[in-house]
Amino acid sequence: MGHILILGANSDIAQALAYRYAQEGYNITLAARQINRLDNLVSDITIRYQINVELAEFDALDFESHASFYNELPSKPDVVACVFGYLGTQESAQTDFAEAKTIIDTNYTGAVSILNLVANDFERQKKGAIIGISSVAGDRGRGSNYLYGSAKAGFTAYLSGLRNRLTKSGVQVLTVKPGFVRTKMTQALKLPPVITATPEQVANDIYRANRAGRNVLYTRWMWQFIMLIIRHIPEFVFKRLSL
Ligand SMILES: NC(=O)c1ccc[n+]([C@@H]2O[C@H](COP(=O)([O-])OP(=O)(O)OC[C@H]3O[C@@H](n4cnc5c(N)ncnc54)[C@H](OP(=O)(O)O)[C@@H]3O)[C@@H](O)[C@H]2O)c1
């Protein structure tokens, strides 16, 4: 059976993903900066699904540690899901470069740092799947969150290039673009229920897209059409909208 490494395992989407893959019999490595917060999750998943769950300390911003983190994993994964992310505060990021840098480094630099290692390993083995959780926010920059959006746009382009490179080695690269998801990240926001997903819906969509060998997944499905419209609004109109 397969083994999935989930990076950023304290995230709500990551935890739903852990349950979804456990249901299919995958063994799991949960990687996060505070693994002591994962004890309950580990016992629950282990009892329910009788699979092997390992924990590993991982900080996306500690770039220097990424090579030893990956090389020293007790079990090698064949699926890696890069789930960690940081929304931050757009307003502070406009005046405080430290906040802007944390947004960029978490969503882009940290992801590149760890996925470069995974990509080289999977390319050598000529197998594996890399799942990157980007965002619809990366499809077009908006005044209210363009720092986060631009970091996700960079991540989306990175994943696209990685897919282009790794296809010939038989490695799947799946770009996931969630719209609104009800999680810790969005708990302070008022989200329209009809187009807002639960972490479980997102996890189910990801699992199915991974199995189907897909390249890009919008979740929930209607976001593909919403973003098609948003991308096609002419710039002279778009720049005047309060988005
Ligand atoms: N929720 C949405 O509406 C939405 C929409 C589009 C895309 N996304 C993306 O979906 C992914 C999962 O987010 P979520 O909605 O599940 O939110 P979440 O529950 O807030 O999860 C974000 C996770 O990222 C982790 N993280 C942040 N910085 C990290 C670092 N330096 N090293 C390791 N982990 C770090 C956090 O760890 P700690 O628990 O230690 O703080 C947290 O567990 C993110 O990439 C997010 O950008 C979310």
Side-chain angles (χ1 to χ4, degrees), residues 114-243:
I114 183 64
L115 291 186
N116 272 357
L117 298 161
V118 177
N120 294 341
D121 182 31
F122 283 3
E123 188 176 45
R124 261 191 306 275
Q125 296 184 53
K126 299 203 174 307
K127 65 180 172 81
I130 295 173
I131 301 171
I133 315 289
S134 188
S135 172
V136 296
D139 280 13
R140 195 160 188 181
R142 293 183 293 125
S144 60
N145 77 343
Y146 63 85
L147 252 319
Y148 172 77
S150 60
K152 288 295 196 187
F155 188 37
T156 297
Y158 171 82
L159 291 168
S160 164
L162 205 55
R163 178 159 49 246
N164 190 226
R165 167 186 155 200
L166 295 181
T167 295
K168 51 179 115 24
S169 308
V171 178
Q172 181 194 5
V173 177
L174 171 62
T175 307
V176 181
K177 296 183 184 183
F180 296 136
V181 192
R182 175 59 61 209
T183 65
K184 288 194 291 296
M185 186 176 276
T186 53
Q187 65 193 359
L189 308 177
K190 246 186 155 232
L191 303 178
V194 184
I195 51 171
T196 301
T198 61
E200 291 72 26
Q201 281 171 320
V202 171
N204 193 39
D205 284 354
I206 292 174
Y207 175 73
R208 291 171 56 187
N210 173 205
R211 292 301 303 217
R214 285 184 57 188
N215 302 316
V216 179
L217 166 72
Y218 282 88
T219 172
R220 301 173 73 187
W221 61 268
M222 61 284 266
W223 280 95
Q224 182 162 359
F225 300 100
I226 297 171
M227 295 317 295
L228 189 71
I229 295 165
I230 291 182
R231 282 200 314 275
H232 283 87
I233 299 173
E235 194 61 29
F236 72 91
V237 176
F238 193 78
K239 72 179 183 183
R240 292 177 202 284
L241 301 175
S242 305
L243 293 167

Side-chain angles (χ1 to χ4, degrees), residues 3 5 46 64-65 71 85-87 90 108 118 175 183 186 194 219 232:
H3 190 118
L5 165 64
T46 316
E64 305 298 313
S65 70
N71 295 332
Y86 178 62
L87 183 58
Q90 170 69 29
Y108 183 71
V118 177
T175 307
T183 65
T186 53
V194 184
T219 172
H232 283 87

Side-chain angles (χ1 to χ4, degrees), residues 44-73:
D44 191 52
I45 293 186
T46 316
I47 293 164
R48 275 176 203 259
Y49 302 106
Q50 275 116 45
I51 52 146
N52 188 30
V53 184
E54 288 163 6
L55 291 176
E57 292 269 1
F58 174 78
D59 183 343
L61 296 177
D62 187 5
F63 313 130
E64 305 298 313
S65 70
H66 289 177
S68 56
F69 159 81
Y70 190 69
N71 295 332
E72 287 162 20
L73 284 174

